[in-house]
Amino acid sequence: MENTYSGFAAVYDQLMDNTPYDEWTSYLAGVLKKYNIPDGLVAELGCGTGNITERLAALGYDMIGIDNSPEMLDIAQEKKAENNSSSLYLCQDMREFELYGTVRAVVSLCDSVNYITDEEDLLTVFKFANNYLDPEGLFIFDFNTLHYYRDTVGESTIAEARDDISFIWDNYFDEETELNELSLSLFLKEEASELYRRRDELHIQRAYTLEKIKELIEKAGLVFVDSFSAYTDDKPDDDTDRVLVIAKEHGKTL
């Protein structure tokens, strides 16, 4: 079994082509502008192949993309070159990331937070975000809920066959540990051949409740601002699969 995203990186964008990145970016930009952040430095934690990073850069933000997968960042760098953007990509673990100074906002989408499976580690991520935010800067992130892992995808198998790529996704959620295991088998067609090469990966995520997220935000010194059923204007409820959270820095002076 390979490390998370080691083999997935090369086909990530192909398999995630139904993700509404344009809509998510528009929503995120709307939140930033609502809180008087129409431009400036923004860091994205868990940026992956740069889908959100490059879209925000195109809207005029000075972007820093952070991810711990070199393979994903290689693809992000290609997009940077194609877009002629000035995005800076850093290969760092979000549990110990370092910036050269403060930023106006830190964002983290696509349930990157759920990959932080230890509560104390997630608290550390929140503390780092708080540390690198400008005074009153925003920390905006989404996370998959307990309902999503337990009721929507729990104990499920998803398979899809395409011309060049096929996959089998086996999902298992342990209610006692609140950990979700996603066993992913990829079948990639070899060039100039009818043969397929198999790659296996294991993705582990933790389910968090909004109450726990609020608790960690407060412990990190951040202020909870609002939450929504992502990416809408609706408030989250027991049937919400993904929650978007807005928090802010307070107390820092220049």
Side-chain angles (χ1 to χ4, degrees), residues 108-180:
S108 185
L109 308 186
C110 302
D111 50 85
S112 294
V113 161
N114 295 102
Y115 279 97
I116 309 300
T117 58
D118 182 84
E119 184 179 311
E120 288 302 313
D121 283 346
L122 186 56
L123 175 59
T124 297
V125 173
F126 288 1
K127 286 181 177 179
F128 272 115
N130 187 44
N131 180 62
Y132 286 113
L133 282 172
D134 287 345
E136 301 295 309
L138 289 186
F139 180 30
I140 306 170
F141 61 93
D142 69 19
F143 69 94
N144 288 334
T145 63
L146 176 62
H147 166 72
Y148 172 77
Y149 291 117
R150 182 186 60 205
D151 306 321
T152 302
V153 297
E155 303 296 324
S156 66
T157 298
I158 301 172
E160 184 175 335
R162 301 187 183 185
D163 290 340
D164 298 325
I165 307 169
S166 298
F167 71 86
I168 301 173
W169 166 341
D170 286 313
N171 208 76
Y172 170 72
F173 179 66
D174 187 323
E175 289 199 48
E176 183 175 344
T177 63
E178 297 185 331
L179 293 178
N180 187 78

Side-chain angles (χ1 to χ4, degrees), residues 20 23-25 27-28 31 108-111 114 140-145 148 210 226-237 239-246:
E23 294 178 22
W24 287 7
T25 304
Y27 183 96
L28 184 57
V31 173
S108 185
L109 308 186
C110 302
D111 50 85
N114 295 102
I140 306 170
F141 61 93
D142 69 19
F143 69 94
N144 288 334
T145 63
Y148 172 77
L210 182 56
D226 214 339
S227 62
F228 299 93
S229 179
Y231 288 80
T232 73
D233 295 327
D234 300 329
K235 293 298 182 182
D237 57 30
D239 295 323
T240 297
D241 282 341
R242 186 190 299 263
V243 174
L244 182 126
V245 173
I246 304 171

